[in-house]
Amino acid sequence: ESFLRLGHNEPAVDFARWYAPHQFSSGKVPCCVDQRGADPVVENDSHGELIFLFADIYRYTGDRAFAAVMWPYVDKAAAVLDELRLSERTERNRQGDRKALYGLLPPSISHEGYMDTPAYSFWDNFWGLKGLNDAAFLAEELGHRDRAADIREDAAEFSADIGASVGL
């Protein structure tokens, strides 16, 4: 985003084009890529962050062709976010001290302090919500109206679940 804000679009675009193909076939977005390849550890902020990157590149550049090429990655990442949040919308998470977990993204190690024990993280959830909202924006911009409506519905439900958790 800093490159984009400063008008240096090429490094952001180059990075996005390089990183996108490292997404797993399941749609999971790796937290990082190194000489060994895409890291498969569970970090649930990555999905929203990748979508945000693509959406911001589009916002700053207006490059519809870029957005269209990135759309399949966005759509798969949004589907993973939805699957993850739905996995925690369980009856178990409606009970007792687990009520605050209902509808949140599951535990991950997105924060380095969680390496030993994955934990629920609002960091993940806020990035996830940002990602869903940006995916809906891109879907709308690219003419995928039905998919945009579906993602907006997912984002609204997720936002309500996050709000309920914060309020507890």
Side-chain angles (χ1 to χ4, degrees):
E1 182 183 19
S2 296
F3 281 122
L4 294 167
R5 283 185 181 216
L6 294 170
H8 300 288
N9 300 337
E10 208 56 39
V13 171
D14 288 348
F15 176 77
R17 288 186 191 280
W18 172 81
Y19 203 87
H22 293 285
Q23 184 180 34
F24 295 98
S25 61
S26 67
K28 174 183 167 43
V29 176
C31 64
C32 62
V33 178
D34 60 20
Q35 67 276 8
R36 295 170 294 168
D39 194 326
V41 301
V42 178
E43 289 201 20
N44 293 329
D45 56 338
S46 305
H47 320 295
E49 290 168 351
L50 189 70
I51 297 169
F52 167 75
L53 172 64
F54 298 155
D56 250 19
I57 289 171
Y58 175 71
R59 283 186 191 102
Y60 280 94
T61 67
D63 188 342
R64 188 176 227 71
F66 170 84
V69 168
M70 294 299 130
W71 171 249
Y73 300 106
V74 169
D75 195 30
K76 286 181 7 179
V80 166
L81 283 167
D82 196 46
E83 180 181 309
L84 289 170
R85 74 175 188 85
L86 290 173
S87 75
E88 295 296 313
R89 291 186 111 237
T90 64
E91 197 54 41
R92 178 175 178 239
N93 284 345
R94 288 189 181 275
Q95 311 299 318
D97 62 351
R98 294 195 59 86
K99 282 183 184 180
L101 307 176
Y102 183 81
L104 300 183
L105 297 180
S108 81
I109 60 167
S110 296
H111 181 285
E112 286 71 18
Y114 303 158
M115 292 293 283
D116 292 335
T117 306
Y120 288 90
S121 168
F122 280 116
W123 172 265
D124 289 350
N125 291 288
F126 294 142
W127 272 115
L129 183 58
K130 177 67 175 149
L132 287 176
N133 284 320
D134 281 348
F137 162 74
L138 285 172
E140 189 72 34
E141 288 290 308
L142 294 170
H144 305 295
R145 306 239 186 288
D146 290 343
R147 184 65 177 126
D150 289 344
I151 296 170
R152 283 196 200 292
E153 187 176 308
D154 297 340
E157 186 175 73
F158 190 31
S159 180
D161 290 343
I162 293 169
S165 178
V166 169
L168 290 176

